[in-house]
Amino acid sequence: PAATFRLAVPHGARALPATTPTQRPARTLPTVRAEAMPTEPTEGGGVRTLEVWEKYNFAGDKAFWRDLRRSVYDGEVKAADLERFEGFCDNYRANPEGGQTDPLTGQCVCPIGNFPGLSGKPIHDTSDLKWVPEFERRMDVIAAEYHRFMSQATGEMPSSYKSRKATSDSSMNPANSWMARNAQGEHWAGNDFHSLHLVKGLAYRPLAKTFPGTMRLLESLDLVADRSVAFNRQKAHTGLATHSDKMNYVLAGHVGITLPADCGMEVSGTEFKWETDKVTVIDNSFPHHTWNDSEEDRIIFYFDFFHPELSAEERRALMIFKRTFKNHMKLADKERVSNLASLERLMGLNVGSDN
């Protein structure tokens, strides 16, 4: 197998230790319908949704790497500018199903989230981030647009502020827009955590058009990465269990919108409370959990952005990697559907059905 690649880390920074890839037995995935995410049993008798890198493994797929390199090395970038990105690719090839966890800090990265040479801090000092003063000066627009949008559900908004698209499109209706993380009944976050997504993955959601000032603010400061921009709601008397998002190349900004008295977050043993007039920046690859012990729902604004130690060339390459990964996921799904259909025709069996 390919050796794990590590570069020197800047003085004072901490990176994940190098590890020897572990040989794992091949995973046997359960048969599922084409539109469903595969699951596996847990020790407690429940099920969990398999992570994307568990369902799709392109580490040894020559077509995947061919397509990636054609897009990354298109004549506009030099190989010397992407030595760390090559290390990221080596990490994926070496251990496509495992990832690794730092035994000292608990920082956890998945096979497609392990970018070498980046410093890791559970909670970042915002005075080190150049964009924060401008962001906090203009961030009132976020709460203003949120409250304006939500007032459409109660009819409290003056008609002059109502969006024609928002009132005619049911998906833009505040009453219909909150998405449960547990929509398929298998997400570990349960039914008590909901999001209003403006950006998810590589795509802007239709809802982003209803928050033009918010999106302009993020775009002007280059704070839209490849994961999520959303308002997140945690129901009263609930919380998120300790977990890691397993990506060390993005950080997360948090801004309080509706903050009851008894709610907060802990990252690697350090507790903090959100604020409505300041942004908090954490590294989601460290273990963290939340609580809301109040009688009200807690709402924050959340956005992922690229780690500031990444170069522009590295950011571009990571975006291409994720886009290529997603394209090959679609190809794999089409092939799986075709194979299932062929089996059904040949054997007269409904392979994708539970019946």
Side-chain angles (χ1 to χ4, degrees), residues 210-344:
T210 311
F211 294 82
T214 299
M215 294 311 303
R216 278 197 299 270
L217 171 60
L218 295 177
E219 290 165 351
S220 68
L221 298 174
D222 198 16
L223 295 176
V224 180
D226 64 349
R227 293 193 67 223
S228 179
V229 175
F231 293 91
N232 290 337
R233 180 178 71 189
Q234 186 73 56
K235 288 186 178 180
H237 300 294
T238 69
L240 292 181
T242 301
H243 64 286
S244 164
D245 289 14
K246 300 183 178 68
M247 300 274 184
N248 74 341
Y249 62 81
V250 289
L251 304 179
H254 292 224
V255 176
I257 301 296
T258 300
L259 299 176
D262 198 359
C263 67
M265 186 172 193
E266 180 179 307
V267 186
S268 284
T270 301
E271 293 186 2
F272 73 88
K273 298 290 185 73
W274 295 280
E275 299 181 67
T276 57
D277 59 348
K278 293 186 180 298
V279 61
T280 302
V281 174
I282 74 167
D283 185 333
N284 278 343
S285 63
F286 287 88
H288 55 283
H289 71 272
T290 67
W291 66 91
N292 178 15
D293 296 331
S294 74
E295 301 293 332
E296 307 172 46
D297 291 353
R298 179 232 71 194
I299 298 164
I300 65 165
F301 179 68
Y302 175 100
F303 60 98
D304 290 303
F305 61 97
F306 283 112
H307 196 296
E309 293 171 9
L310 290 169
S311 68
E313 293 82 4
E314 289 170 335
R315 293 183 184 192
R316 172 183 174 273
L318 283 167
M319 292 287 278
I320 293 173
F321 180 93
K322 187 166 185 178
R323 189 177 298 114
T324 305
F325 200 99
K326 187 173 182 179
N327 288 340
H328 279 258
M329 284 170 53
K330 293 179 180 178
L331 292 173
D333 285 342
K334 288 181 180 179
E335 182 178 0
R336 180 165 58 87
V337 170
S338 177
N339 290 341
L340 287 175
S342 296
L343 283 173
E344 290 174 356

Side-chain angles (χ1 to χ4, degrees), residues 17-30:
T19 59
T20 302
T22 302
Q23 297 297 323
R24 297 173 178 268
R27 179 185 296 275
T28 301
L29 295 179

Side-chain angles (χ1 to χ4, degrees), residues 1-49:
T4 301
F5 184 101
R6 291 287 185 274
L7 293 183
V9 182
H11 178 70
R14 178 176 181 80
L16 291 169
T19 59
T20 302
T22 302
Q23 297 297 323
R24 297 173 178 268
R27 179 185 296 275
T28 301
L29 295 179
T31 301
V32 294
R33 297 181 181 87
E35 70 274 11
M37 287 296 289
T39 62
E40 68 178 9
T42 64
E43 292 182 359
V47 295
R48 74 176 183 93
T49 301

